[in-house]
Amino acid sequence: MRFPLFVFCLCLTLASPASANVGFRTEHIPDPQGTMIEIGIWYPADAAPATFQLGLSTQTVAAGAAVVGDHLPLIVVSHGNGGFFGGHTDTAEALANAGFVVAALTHSGDSYQDQSRATDMPNRPRQLSVLITYMLNSWPGHDRLDPNRVGAFGFSSGGFTVLAAAGARTDPAAIARHCQILPALFDCQLIAAHKQAPESWAWATDTRIKAVVSAAPAIGYAFTPESLAAIRVPVQLWQAQYDHILPAPYYVEPVREHLRTVEFHEVMGADHFDFLPACNHPEQYPSICSSPAGFDRAGFHAAFNRAVVRFFRRTLLLNRANSYTPAH
């Protein structure tokens, strides 16, 4: 779940104005706990874009352009362990192109720069709530947002984060049992290395979140069935067939079994990091950028992004009086 050190290149290549209508900017926002949180924001715009290198991939955006539209829905994004705000650029672009404002954060204490709070899991949904509050109340474009249409997208530890923010709760005893039996798995090694007791985890639900996309959620086995069943917002849940970081049946399966409103997708032939966009130079970071033989990551992401956009359109943009029926 950990990302390599990222090199940010702001070299520009002009692109056709018709290729994107997505604005982009970065900011640092205050965390009540005393740190600053780095965020990236994608949004509908009407300006000529350029192609930027961001992390391991590229994005085609109009940096600093004005926001276009009103009553825009907001999607907040939580990355995986050791990641950063730009880990899902293509999905953010697709959502912004479809009329959403997307705000992603770099989790303080669990990023490629800082792992000091990598197993302080409640800190993640807490920071996600800080981001939502900033976007709705303080962001310069906050008056263009619809506070009743907020969704959350997360991958890996971020997939755990968005479920926890929606109300899922953990059983510390389940974590202890799991790691006693399977100590070599990634999450158990991380917990052992950081020596933080899950018994100390305390949670808060953010009721502003009305829909969730969770891809390859971490620590799914630890969520209590009762808390998952109590989640009433719709969830789109994704699993990679050959996930070697969070292997079946410990992570996605317990979540899928107990959620009431879930749209489930298994990605055949995919591994864990295939939920990240295709890398520009995959040979430089093979552990993250390589896919199983025969799997087309770029092709998958085109379909993945369409499905994510479709889900958030259906759950956040349709008449709220309509009932939600999960797709299968």
Side-chain angles (χ1 to χ4, degrees):
M1 289 184 285
R2 189 171 183 179
F3 293 69
L5 179 66
F6 290 98
V7 178
F8 295 90
C9 174
L10 295 182
C11 304
L12 306 184
T13 303
L14 291 179
S16 165
S19 64
N21 288 299
V22 175
F24 173 73
R25 61 187 65 182
T26 61
E27 300 182 22
H28 287 80
I29 65 173
D31 185 328
Q33 292 194 358
T35 62
M36 297 297 289
I37 301 174
E38 178 187 39
I39 67 172
I41 308 169
W42 294 257
Y43 49 88
D46 186 14
T51 298
F52 291 77
Q53 178 79 21
L54 183 63
L56 300 181
S57 57
T58 57
Q59 59 174 353
T60 303
V61 294
V67 182
V68 172
D70 292 297
H71 305 290
L72 300 171
L74 170 68
I75 308 297
V76 291
V77 178
S78 176
H79 61 73
N81 165 247
F84 84 123
F85 75 84
H88 299 277
T89 55
D90 64 327
T91 304
E93 274 192 76
L95 285 164
N97 235 339
F100 295 83
V101 172
V102 181
L105 78 167
T106 299
H107 283 286
S108 302
D110 188 4
S111 71
Y112 72 95
Q113 294 177 311
D114 177 13
Q115 285 282 283
S116 61
R117 300 180 71 173
T119 56
D120 182 1
M121 299 306 286
N123 190 48
R124 289 175 138 266
R126 184 194 66 79
Q127 289 183 335
L128 201 68
S129 291
V130 169
L131 175 61
I132 294 172
T133 297
Y134 170 78
M135 292 299 297
L136 294 181
N137 297 342
S138 303
W139 180 53
H142 74 275
D143 57 341
R144 294 183 178 274
L145 297 175
D146 186 338
N148 296 312
R149 290 174 171 170
V150 178
F153 171 98
F155 161 66
S156 200
S157 285
F160 172 97
T161 300
V162 296
L163 290 169
R169 298 293 176 261
T170 56
D171 176 3
I175 299 174
R177 289 192 301 269
H178 175 82
C179 290
Q180 184 177 20
I181 297 169
L182 299 165
L185 290 184
F186 183 92
D187 52 344
C188 296
Q189 292 190 39
L190 196 66
I191 290 170
H194 287 268
K195 308 295 184 185
Q196 193 202 28
E199 290 83 359
S200 66
W201 291 353
W203 306 98
T205 300
D206 196 321
T207 57
R208 295 172 296 184
I209 296 173
K210 306 303 183 185
V212 165
V213 173
S214 177
I219 326 182
Y221 59 84
F223 286 132
T224 65
E226 297 80 9
S227 68
L228 288 169
I231 292 175
R232 290 294 182 265
V233 302
V235 177
Q236 187 183 68
L237 182 65
W238 292 81
Q239 181 175 33
Q241 181 185 16
Y242 298 131
D243 195 323
H244 77 287
I245 298 292
L246 304 175
Y250 308 108
Y251 300 92
V252 174
E253 287 83 355
V255 174
R256 182 188 182 190
E257 179 181 357
H258 297 293
L259 284 174
R260 292 179 181 270
T261 55
V262 60
E263 173 187 316
F264 176 71
H265 300 265
E266 181 177 10
V267 186
M268 305 307 293
D271 200 347
H272 186 74
F273 293 111
D274 286 312
F275 288 110
L276 300 177
C279 302
N280 289 339
H281 303 286
E283 70 283 353
Q284 295 180 1
Y285 302 102
S287 62
I288 288 177
C289 297
S290 297
S291 300
F295 185 77
D296 177 6
R297 188 185 291 199
F300 159 62
H301 268 257
F304 175 64
N305 292 336
R306 286 194 298 270
V308 171
V309 168
R310 186 166 55 246
F311 172 79
F312 280 131
R313 275 178 168 164
R314 187 166 64 247
T315 56
L316 297 179
L317 296 184
L318 291 180
N319 187 330
R320 297 185 61 83
N322 293 343
S323 61
Y324 169 70
T325 303
H328 298 284

